Amino acid sequence: MDASGQTTFRRVLLKISGEALMGDQGFGLHPPTVERIAREVASVQEMGVEICMVIGGGNIFRGLQGSAQGMERTTADYMGMLATVMNALAMQSSLEGLGIHTRVISAIRMDEVAEPYIRRRAVRHLEKKRICIFAAGTGNPYFTTDTAATLRASEMACEAIFKGTKVDGVYDKDPKKFEDAKRFETVTYDEVLQKHLGVMDASAIALARDNNLPIIVFSLDEPGGFRGILAGEGTSTTVHG
């Protein structure tokens, strides 16, 4: 953070789970929650930050669960990718309702609803202060949206991944189940892997480590949390080398 209280970040990627969009419901989309998150993103864009987003699809369909119930894994993963497109379109609608130009960019071609992923075009959108929502994961089965977020953040030359969760950082155990859970201020990529801290899956952490890309874990449930963390305020955990 600089002396004026503004952020020093120029371009970041926000990764949120599909479950973050369902509010108190057990399934699907909760439009007031989507709008609240859109306002959080808008407040960060007002700081002059270029923003990419990756949203999971677990509120609609989770490939691993489908596969565990007997569905062929590749098919289940493609269904999960399509769920992320639905979430991306919902977020785009909310952001554009706030007057923010937004592009949904899909790793699976569906030209009627989203742009195909072309790196140089996506970079140009960011330079024009449009928000890019990357949908459909990496376009490949067996890869999570965590890995997609790390891949896109690396390709877009983002300075950090901000992972919005339901807790205010990385803990040694679940703070909702254990009162003595300890939060880390910082933790290394290798510690996340060795201690199975569950920040992101192993592929995503390894890719972030190889590209020296910090991951900042914070609570998306905290009003103004995203803007506050970017300005160096609030509680979070930074995963770095």
Side-chain angles (χ1 to χ4, degrees):
M1 184 174 68
D2 62 25
S4 65
Q6 291 297 302
T7 182
T8 55
F9 288 101
R10 185 183 60 85
R11 181 181 294 170
V12 302
L13 185 141
L14 173 64
K15 166 65 171 69
I16 60 176
S17 67
E19 287 87 348
L21 304 185
M22 65 188 187
D24 294 330
Q25 302 172 160
F27 181 81
L29 287 155
H30 184 237
T33 300
V34 178
E35 185 176 341
R36 178 183 67 79
I37 295 171
R39 290 188 182 280
E40 292 270 334
V41 173
S43 72
V44 168
Q45 195 196 43
E46 287 169 5
M47 302 168 80
V49 180
E50 296 171 5
I51 304 167
C52 316
M53 294 181 72
V54 170
I55 307 171
N59 57 320
I60 298 170
F61 188 87
R62 187 176 288 282
L64 271 173
Q65 286 178 358
S67 150
Q69 291 170 16
M71 188 176 286
E72 196 268 322
R73 172 69 189 270
T74 304
T75 300
D77 279 356
Y78 278 123
M79 290 172 70
M81 289 180 222
L82 295 178
T84 72
V85 177
M86 295 172 71
N87 285 339
L89 292 173
M91 182 59 65
Q92 179 184 44
S93 177
S94 280
L95 286 165
E96 292 191 335
L98 298 173
I100 296 170
H101 295 293
T102 308
R103 295 289 186 273
V104 172
I105 300 173
S106 172
I108 297 173
R109 287 194 76 106
M110 46 185 82
D111 296 348
E112 287 76 14
V113 297
E115 286 188 10
Y117 176 68
I118 299 169
R119 189 185 69 84
R120 287 179 181 272
R121 183 187 290 178
V123 168
R124 187 70 181 129
H125 287 319
L126 292 173
E127 290 170 350
K128 289 184 174 180
K129 306 303 178 188
R130 296 168 183 153
I131 290 176
C132 290
I133 307 174
F134 296 111
T138 65
N140 301 290
Y142 295 93
F143 289 94
T144 65
T145 50
D146 281 342
T147 302
T150 311
L151 176 63
R152 296 294 183 240
S154 301
E155 290 177 300
M156 294 297 107
C158 291
E159 293 153 353
I161 296 173
F162 284 77
K163 181 162 184 184
T165 68
K166 292 192 173 294
V167 292
D168 59 355
V170 179
Y171 286 78
D172 59 352
K173 48 192 166 186
D174 189 342
K176 296 191 174 177
K177 294 180 183 172
F178 301 95
E179 288 185 8
D180 62 341
K182 175 179 150 240
R183 186 180 63 81
F184 299 98
E185 281 291 328
T186 64
V187 63
T188 67
Y189 304 112
D190 288 337
E191 285 174 322
V192 169
L193 293 171
Q194 288 161 9
K195 297 178 181 177
H196 304 287
L197 294 176
V199 178
M200 289 181 166
D201 65 84
S203 299
I205 294 295
L207 185 58
R209 180 186 61 194
D210 292 347
N211 291 283
N212 199 26
L213 184 64
I215 303 164
I216 298 164
V217 183
F218 70 103
S219 173
L220 198 64
D221 290 344
E222 196 70 36
F226 186 26
R227 183 185 178 107
I229 297 299
L230 269 156
E233 304 157 2
T235 309
S236 64
T237 299
T238 301
V239 183
H240 59 84

